[in-house]
Amino acid sequence: MTGRAPLLAALALVLLFDPPALGQTVTRLPEVLEAAEAVYPPEARELGLEAEVLLEIDISEQGEVLDVRVVQPAGHGFDEAAVEALRRYRFRPAEVDGAPAAVTIEFRYRFELRQETPPPPAEGVLRGRVVDRESRQPVVGALVDAGEAGVAETDADGRFEIADLPAGRIRVVVVASDYERFETEELVAEGQATDVVYYLEPLPRSPYESVVRGRRPKKEVSTVAISQGEITRIPGTHGDTVRVVQNLPGVARIPYGAGAIIVRGGEAHDTRAYVDGQYVPLIFHFGALSSVYASELIQEVEFEAGNFGARYGRATGGRVEIVTRDPGEELRLVADADLYDATGLMETRVSDDLAVALAARRSYVDAVLNAATQLVPTAFEGMGFSVAPRFWDYQAKIAYRPSENDRLRLDVYGSSDRLAMTGVNTGVETDSSMETSMGFARVALSWDHRLDDSTRTRVVLAPGWDQIRMAMEPLLFDLNVYSLTARAEAFHDVSSVLSIGAGLDLLVSEQNMLIQLPVDEPGQIPPPDFRDMLGHLETQVTLVQPALWTEAVIRPVSRLSLVPGIRVDWDSYLEATWVDPRFNARWQVADGTVLKGGVGLYHQPPPPQTIVEEYGNPDLEPEAAWQYALGVEQHLVGPLHLDFQVYYKDLRDLVVVSDRVVRRGGEEVLERYANEGTGEAYGAEILLRYDADARFFGWLGYSISRSKRHDRLRDRTTPSFTEQPHSLVGVGTLELPEIWEGFSIGARVRYTSGNPYTPVIGGVYDADRDAYRRLPAPDSRSQRLPDFFQLDLRADKEWDFGTSRLSVYLDVQNVTNRKNAEGVIYNFDYSESDYLPGLPIFPSVGIRWEI
Amino acid sequence: MRRRSAIVACALALGCGEGFLPPSYVNELRVLAVRTEPPEIAWGAEEIPSESRISVLVADPVQLLDPTREVVVGYLSCTADPARLEFNPCTAVTTLRSPGELAAQLPKELCEGGGGDERQRNPFAFLGAERCRHAEGCEPLRVPVGDFELPLPPPVFRLEDDLGLSALPANHPARTRGHQVVVLAFAVAAAPAELVEGADTSDECRLGTSLMSRFIQLFEERESVMALKRIQVRGPDQADEPNENPRITGILVRGVPLPAEPADPWPEIATFARKQSIFLHPRPAPAPLDEEGRPLHGSEKQSYTRYRHDGTPLGTEVEEWRYSWFSTAGRFHEARGDTEGGIIWAAPTGDSEDPVPPEGRVFLYLVVRDGRGGVDWVRREVRVR
């Protein structure tokens, strides 16, 4: 194999351990400033061997290589040669919020042989840029190989130039870490420069933390970060990044794929959703068909099933946060359409320091329903849509960098869902009208500022508006909330051992509420006509919910980080203050092995409907939970990683229905709700993940859990309403071999225990209503639905036209057409029952065009 | 609370959805309506009575196959104290799902009428019992006691005072909304003689408790139905005209009323072929007239004030009458009709899933409700060839 020279390629900048500080964002990955060529092992060269060595490199804040370790050896002398070469590398240091920081990265060093022949006469120039196809950001350090004619490496702007090329067609190969190999042919004209732009396809990224760019330092126990990218090819998610959260261990399966996210035996309202730190009231549109934020502008989705840090509060369960990205540097247009909605996106850089992005989505479920009505005329017999079901959302971004130490960003986003029907049978009227609408809007202005190398601040002001309206004459629930979210945070690295952060998390809202709903009498057969029990509440409440938090990262010894934190909340409506201490720890006991654990106290206000006057109990106190978690992360082999956690939640002061009579305001009233509930949830979660490579990514998650609630008023213990003792979810997508160029297939398989339910043991005939009233069994949730199983498949095909791409997909849910039970239905007198069937086999298609 | 489980394929029932029989199909013991005459009572009001007669529409087509089968109905009332927020045991889910618990709460002596000073400690009253035949209807029960037959009182609820409504504070919701007495009707497939087995007949009040306890015991052992009915007690600040039961007088086929009583020969208008679809209409009662022959109301449907939960008026409304149709064979295109426009009934096909009863005897029932306690009904027999 003499006559072939080594081609050393591949910069696999895989961020492993970020700088140890609070709330930081990695704004720039380390870049190679000086590359050193490894000595090709003579033995390997003689045998014609090529190889790739996976290394782990510690890089200082100055960009120096501190240490190099072999993660995946290749033998034959490759490992030693790669280590020796890497020790001579120099990097431009990584930056955290614009400042240099020490990091640990994964690095793939590739040894390839190529034919050594004398270069032909130089007559032309090939020059241009290499950019990320998705983000349009420049790809730094990419190797542009024009064969024997020459090789160039892209600079910080992604630019390259290869001079002295022979005229005629040349083959160009571009390789870069985290990107698929790119090959093309160029026609080099004699004496002229050929300008090109190469768009590199990012490698499929793991849905987990290790490959996500710019994510916060890992210091919590249960964090999972989902990056936008190939993750969108998971079947059953309609290409929606946020919906992937529903496939993670610890997340309950909700009937019909509804939008709630219920974690670790909790309730829907226990988990709070955020967009870039701002609370949002909903995260999914109708029926969870899509999330309320365009996946194309999402950098990642952070999901914590529990034990989140002190920076977040007002929830006793988990946290879901959509972290959005800055607009890209190149012009990018995307059009995406599937069975339910269409999305359009435009982003571009206006100047060196200013970039903008616009995106919008509009559903056409209304048109699909109309088509369904044409096919099945009786599908909605008697009912009509005065406003057919439709949803839309929008996002606009302006990112401005006035200096190296400042970044300003204006985000405007919102969502709206609306539906209005006529001909609704309410039981007392057969032709009533119904209207429901939900929406929100946010205008978020954020300012990130670096004071010096170790201190930075972040201020966010986000006025907003939320609306929930449900009307079915004469029933009405109308809530308009005008709010201001404010976050002011500061982070300081005291030393290499200690970093601290503190901040204000303020939510001020004016809640305008108009409620005209029946006033329930707990435990009683309701009156024949609900209109005879209507209450009326029209109120305006100004709610102030400030919170102060502080958190520290302490590194007493290498590879051990301790994160104590404390949060103090106040609620003006409840007139209550609560203090939540929290503590998390991570300890890398060996290469590839991390032990982790956490304990913390969490509080949340009671559900809104339980605390309003007339319908609830305004004297309620916040609900609380102590959360405990222990776990281990283990790198198994190659791309396989294991994450194992056990957790326990001690729930206190839960709100339960009360039929007690109490004195309030000098009058005897029904208490309706009381903090007389307790509970516990415990379980274990296993996540076996296959980190993305060029062909495959996926994961297998299993959770075993129990969740109980105890009602002290009735001395009754029941399982929580979504207690699913066993849950198994496997997802994966596979790029087919080149012969199937552009084809990929994916599968998702889910198995979960059935939800518990309270059986109805009979009915009493309400002669005033001509209807039977159900009589539930005294033991709540004493029975369980059959286990759930579903297999979903998806196939994607992509055509690459150089500067544009076209892709289509077919997504089939429940391919086995299994009739899963999602509930129980009864005949008119409750003497017979049957299971309510779930989603039948359900195909959908989508198309996407991008330039 | 045992029920016969007769599942017929869904082909019989349009709109049954998931393979269940529709509520309009009557193939076992059913209570189809309970009426109180009048539907609204008051204490000390000239134009409004203080007592109300209770009657029940029972269908038991099994009696056509088994003429020896009998159905008895017992009535129990619960009168909660309107001044207190305690719950009415006759509408409490905990007692209704386990009537044995209800029986355990009954006092030793259950006298008719109920209420009075004892109400706070004893909201219950035994109102009477009836014997019901599928084709003929119900009549007051006579129970054998030794060599005698003891006539039980017809089910009547009597208001013995104003339940304290006039003493309520001015803003109390019950002053306008009034109060509701709850009546439970226990329909049981049992013979009258079975009711007195072990009964304490020494005293009328003790007999009431014995009979009611026995009703509840049989209720849990036999085919049975429990029905709930409310009697409106007028509040002192209510000014609407007294509520009256709506009235219908028959069922029309092609404009001709079906005969109210069996006839020989059987009239052609009440005879239908298998699978025949028939348009049925309610036959309204003639408008009531005052002494001078003018319509008593602007229309048959009365106007009334609807109140919120807190007793404040929500507005004035006109009654919405709703019609419920039932049959012992065949099927209706809808179970309920919200207008007087009629309904299509298809005679049975004779298939195994839609059989023709013995002798082709099919009973049709029409119940009208005014939406605020007023009820009327008609029952008609037709024949299917």
Side-chain angles (χ1 to χ4, degrees), chain A residues 832, chain B residues 6-13 16 19-21 25 27 352-355:
Chain A
E832 298 164 16
Chain B
I7 299 180
V8 179
C10 189
L12 185 65
C16 69
F20 300 133
L21 287 170
Y25 184 78
N27 66 338
S352 60
E353 296 174 346
D354 192 7

Side-chain angles (χ1 to χ4, degrees), chain A residues 524 532 534 768-770, chain B residues 91 177 228-229 309 324 336:
Chain A
Q524 292 284 290
D532 291 330
L534 287 181
D768 289 314
R769 187 181 164 91
D770 186 28
Chain B
T91 53
R177 289 167 48 87
L228 184 154
K229 173 68 182 170
H309 179 256
S324 301
R336 277 176 157 178

Side-chain angles (χ1 to χ4, degrees), chain A residues 376-391:
Chain A
V376 187
T378 58
F380 303 100
E381 198 167 41
M383 288 197 295
F385 294 109
S386 55
V387 177
R390 60 113 186 93
F391 59 79

Side-chain angles (χ1 to χ4, degrees), chain A residues 14 127 727:
Chain A
V14 181
R127 68 189 183 194
S727 176

